[in-house]
Amino acid sequence: MEHLGLNEIRERYLKFFESKQHLRLPSFSLIPENDKTLLLIPAGMAPLKSYFTGEQTPPAPRITTCQKCIHTNDIENVGFTARHLTFFEMLGNFSFGDYFKLEAIAWAWEFVTQVLEMPEDRLYVSVYEKDDEAMEIWTKNVGVAPDHMFRMGKADNFWEIGTGVGPCGPCSEIYFDRGEQYACGPDCHPGCDCDRFVEFWNLVFTQFENDGHDNYLPLAKKNIDTGMGLERIACIMQEVGSLFEVDTMTAITQRVCEMAGVERGHDPKTEISLRIITDHIRATVMLVCDGVHPSNEGRGYILRRLLRRAARHGRLLGIRSGFLTELADTVFEISGKAYPQIIEKSDYIRRVIRLEEERFDKTIDAGLKLLSEHIDEMKASGKTVMDGAEAFKLYDTFGFPVDLTVEILGEQDFTLDREAFERCMNEQRDRARDARKKHALGWGSDDAGALKQLPETVFTGYTSCTGTGKVLAILSGGETREGVGMDEEATLLLDSTTFYAESGGQIGDTGVIECDTGSFRVTDVTKTPDHKFLHSGVVTRGTLSVGDSVRTLVDEPRRQAISRAHCAAHLLQAALRLVLGTHVEQAGSLVEPDRVRFDFTHFAALTDDEKAKVEALVNEEILKALSGSMTEMPTDEAKKLGAIALFGEKYGKTVRVVRYGDYSCELCGGTHIDNTAKVGLFRIVGEGSVAAGVRRVEGVTGLGVLELLKTREDTIARTAMALKTSVSEVEHAAEIMAATVREQKQTIDGLSGKIARAEVEGLLKSAKAVGGVKLISAKVNADLERMRTMCDILRDIDTTVVVMFGAVADGKVQLSCACGADAVKMGAHAGKLVKAAAAIVGGGGGGRPDSASAGGRNPEKLDEALASVEANLAAMLK
């Protein structure tokens, strides 16, 4: 058996199925398109789901891919086993109502025995126990020896989606015998949990429809869906013991070893860290490339979790911070040929990783120190379970992932009270956790499910805002209706429409659909994945029924305002790329009447100079009155023109190219104006951060600019009136007032300081001696900032002082504590003192040994909390 590299196996597979008339498609993005049931793509067939369900027409009846995949529910296991990966590649060949079992089985056997030259005596096959057809093909047509065939039950060899409803069918799996040394015993056979027989290719024969009551009805069009893990087959071909010993994985691991100055195979803990870093950097590069940005929710949290877990294990190996940015280069080297996007975006990927590493560096030390303190306290008190509230504080205050907390606790045989932690989590964290649980292949449906058999809607609104159509279906009250009457809310589906449906960041049109018997006010338009336009609104006159011939009347002034803004969005993207660099890519947009919001990949806030340059460039192109062209053409031709595509978007054979002179050329299905001069003017009104590595610019166009100018003029006029001056003198008057306020503030601050010093000097005289330090514990009438000032003054006056002030404001307790330098040396700790006091008033907090603050919910217990300080302080002092 030839020892083939992973990249070579991938190419041989795809070329083989191209020779069998399959269309080779590049890997789809890891971010699912039009599929809210998935957080990230977990399997090779997931991006093709709409082709299997019939919602969309595939570009060819036979397709082959090597799909990037992410498993999020195995992260904790990665590194501790030889089997688990978060990022992996899945080879697949698919048939949509074309060939079926005979061809799928014959070609699979031909590939493994003739292309890969795997020895037949080490190959075994399983089939569903009731699938006599597959058994006959394997044994009679292909010639597999009967003693190498196994029939298995539904649990092993029958594929169904998680809900049990929908397309399904029997499976056939191919196994490789690694040898008796891996056997679990003399009765070992394919299907065992041991490592002898490795299943590497699953052929799914989708031939039934489950109606939800375990009635399996034959499908009119049968499909083939196969999946072979690329890393797994490479492991077999290279005859290595684990996925982490495959050539591409070893290249990354070896680079980590060089960075850390360690060798493999000597220390189990080192091996775990090496595996974690190797896996996570591959996943990170691919996720960032596909547009995922580190954040605290959803797929962004998955990325942040991977990056921070890898960064921590780098520290355990003694590697300096920032090493993941450098390690990404190795991923570019080994995977760049198969995935050229990671090379094209390499600078951007490095920047995102570097920024996240820097963020983690700022929080990790504080988080690790605090966690170490908690572990020491647990050891001293004999506890084995960490309080969930403390773990939440680590997460919420220090950005310390709870998964790292659990992992570190586990390394010392401690656990976390997850139930208490979850109770403390805010809604944002809850949503992220729920999203991560959605890892199964969902086949969700919506109202459009009832419309599946109806034809696609023909959109005629590019050239006109008025047209005609026929009502094909009506949805109201969660069900299909034959008709709707006055004041009823409904959704209409037409065979033809001039209404644009929300997509590509452009909001849907509004307007009126009318016929002789009634009128319908359209408030929103959306579309299903299979291109059916859904007009939502309310009946304002008479009745509408299925079969009615109607007139579609789009609100034209609103459409024109939207089109102006959409044109500005194109000009804005071109300007951003010219000013900031070609790493700028669209990461989202919203186009509304005379207003545009544009999200893009960039690493820093735009300077005033950059914003001015971008705005000037857009307005220059507007004033040039560039003619716009909107042309449909083959996708390959559009790419040759250099048309900018939204990365991760699925495009068909034909695309719509929108061009404005030589300045802007993009793939876009929205509505646009035919000349840039019609935009009027463009003005940036906002710029900010959306997520790590993603910025947002907001701008206005057309009448929106006039409204902005009027609003600002009115504001200046009102300001001048308030300052009792003229508009022309308002700036000077404001400068004079600001200077006066500064002077007065300085005077007030000076007087406040003198008053505070006088107050605290009086308190110092009444301080109580406790074990060599002077304790002041008092209830005061002051806000938190003033209490801190008073604490600081006392600490500076006397180095042996320990002070705790408490106050009540708006029904809540505020505490401030400080310890002088000599008091700290003697064992006093402000953070621990304030934490103990806060617990009494139903709150939490902490801080440094010399300064700390906290809050609480029970003001009635403030006196008790202040009284407890003396005993707590006495216990601390050496």
Side-chain angles (χ1 to χ4, degrees), residues 517-562:
T517 61
S519 184
F520 183 82
R521 185 174 74 249
V522 178
T523 56
D524 192 21
V525 186
T526 58
K527 64 181 177 181
T528 66
D530 54 343
H531 210 71
K532 298 178 177 70
F533 285 39
L534 304 176
H535 307 72
S536 300
V538 62
V539 179
T540 57
R541 174 179 64 85
T543 62
L544 284 92
S545 302
V546 173
D548 283 347
S549 294
V550 295
R551 295 175 292 280
T552 55
L553 310 171
V554 174
D555 182 341
E556 190 164 2
R558 182 175 180 274
R559 162 75 77 80
Q560 286 298 313
I562 293 171

Side-chain angles (χ1 to χ4, degrees), residues 390-405:
E390 298 294 349
F392 175 72
K393 179 185 173 184
L394 281 169
Y395 169 81
D396 193 46
T397 306
F398 297 95
F400 202 83
V402 66
D403 312 283
L404 275 187
T405 299

Side-chain angles (χ1 to χ4, degrees), residues 26-103:
S27 173
F28 293 92
S29 170
L30 285 167
I31 301 177
E33 182 197 1
N34 297 325
D35 191 343
K36 295 180 181 179
T37 66
L38 296 175
L39 185 64
L40 293 162
I41 294 298
M45 60 75 59
L48 310 175
K49 202 164 63 177
S50 60
Y51 299 153
F52 282 108
T53 60
E55 292 177 47
Q56 289 185 300
T57 303
R62 301 179 181 182
I63 286 175
T64 185
T65 64
C66 181
Q67 175 62 43
K68 298 174 292 185
C69 303
I70 292 281
H71 267 187
T72 61
N73 54 330
D74 283 340
I75 293 177
E76 293 84 0
N77 293 321
V78 171
F80 294 91
T81 76
R83 296 180 177 182
H84 290 93
L85 300 174
T86 49
F87 173 80
F88 60 97
E89 299 176 65
M90 186 64 74
L91 299 165
N93 56 286
F94 310 94
S95 167
F96 307 101
D98 188 37
Y99 64 84
F100 199 48
K101 290 183 186 178
L102 178 61
E103 294 87 347

Side-chain angles (χ1 to χ4, degrees), residues 573-593:
Q573 179 170 12
L576 288 167
R577 289 171 67 88
L578 285 171
V579 173
L580 304 178
T582 56
H583 66 273
V584 167
E585 286 191 354
Q586 182 177 340
S589 67
L590 176 64
V591 179
E592 299 178 304

